Amino acid sequence: MPRFEQRPGAAMIDAMTLLTERNSSPKLAAPAPDAAAREAIFSAALRVPDHAWLRPWRFLTVEGEARRDLGSVLEYSLLRREPEADDAAREKARCAPLRAPLVVVVMARLQPHPKVPPQEQRLSAGCAAHAILLAAEAQGYAGIWRTGAGAFDREVVEALGGAENEEIVAFLYLGTREGRGKALPALAVEDFVAPWTGPTHGKETP
Ligand SMILES: Cc1cc2nc3c(=O)[nH]c(=O)nc-3n(C[C@H](O)[C@H](O)[C@H](O)COP(=O)(O)O)c2cc1C
């Protein structure tokens, strides 16, 4: 028995199609993933590779009016970086979280560990972000991973309740795809994959 039921009305998508055809969507409308879909989405995030099982991530959901508060936080962040920012730039920052009915903030929670450097923990949080996008898409929703300068502003992290050892890895915008998905880029596997046949240095010397 699968742990999660398919969302009623959503077309079944097989795992390889999902993995090879996932498509970010900049235009997202309501509805956001419902409670059952979120349970599945965050369960997927909790199953990512995680060295030493540190669980170096946590997730915040921002929706409804809280998106406006996040927008204000992002606008203040912009003004700290660019005090001369014009009205259009301020509005863009302020309204950014309104582009989707649900924003999931993926936080990396970096912990000191003798074998697991911070970079591995950030990567695990990145995997969690990807898992969330995939699990949303698997259930007939859509999303896009965004960051922007605000994500790297310590005061934004603090406004979101983040501690000193926490970082924002993603603002995941989630909802229902508006319009058609964009054409997927045609990338050739062989351009990125090659066999390694041994060290290239020192081959000529005994
Ligand atoms: C770490 C990270 C940060 C990103 N930040 C942004 C961003 O701030 N704004 C944006 O438009 N796209 C951003 N993207 C790219 C989009 O999420 C997406 O990958 C891109 O639009 C290409 O679409 P595709 O993933 O469907 O190929 C980011 C991607 C990653 C991995």
Side-chain angles (χ1 to χ4, degrees):
M1 264 299 271
R3 248 179 90 201
F4 296 101
E5 295 296 323
Q6 187 68 9
R7 180 189 180 200
M12 263 301 215
I13 183 168
D14 71 83
M16 285 314 298
T17 304
L18 176 67
L19 288 169
T20 57
E21 295 185 12
R22 178 204 59 79
N23 203 355
S24 303
S25 179
K27 289 198 171 169
L28 295 157
D34 61 18
R38 287 183 202 196
E39 181 71 19
I41 284 169
F42 290 115
S43 295
L46 303 187
R47 197 67 287 288
V48 297
D50 170 15
H51 195 174
W53 280 5
L54 293 180
R55 316 308 186 208
W57 12 255
R58 68 185 178 98
F59 314 98
L60 299 171
T61 57
V62 184
E63 58 196 317
E65 284 303 301
R67 293 174 306 158
R68 293 191 190 280
D69 295 333
L70 176 58
S72 298
V73 167
L74 294 176
E75 185 183 2
Y76 283 125
S77 169
L78 170 72
L79 288 175
R80 277 192 302 277
R81 287 190 312 278
E82 298 173 32
E84 308 303 324
D86 63 16
D87 284 353
R90 289 181 63 166
E91 189 186 344
K92 189 170 176 223
R94 189 171 61 246
C95 296
L98 303 178
R99 290 176 292 184
L102 173 66
V103 182
V104 172
V105 186
V106 179
M107 291 249 199
R109 202 165 42 174
L110 307 176
Q111 297 145 61
H113 191 281
K115 289 188 182 159
V116 188
Q119 184 63 358
E120 288 194 1
Q121 300 179 46
R122 288 188 189 99
L123 288 169
S124 183
C127 289
H130 192 212
I132 288 170
L133 289 176
L134 289 170
E137 194 150 326
Q139 297 178 95
Y141 297 98
I144 185 166
W145 181 337
R146 296 186 192 270
T147 47
F152 309 112
D153 178 348
R154 288 309 306 171
E155 292 193 38
V156 171
V157 177
E158 278 169 32
L160 287 166
E164 248 177 49
N165 66 328
E166 293 186 308
E167 297 176 2
I168 295 170
V169 166
F171 291 118
L172 298 177
Y173 288 71
L174 299 180
T176 298
R177 192 184 302 278
E178 244 191 353
R180 289 160 58 93
K182 67 177 180 304
L184 294 172
L187 298 179
V189 167
E190 60 269 25
D191 291 343
F192 297 88
V193 184
W196 184 73
T197 54
T200 46
H201 298 298
K203 258 192 168 171
E204 56 288 350
T205 52

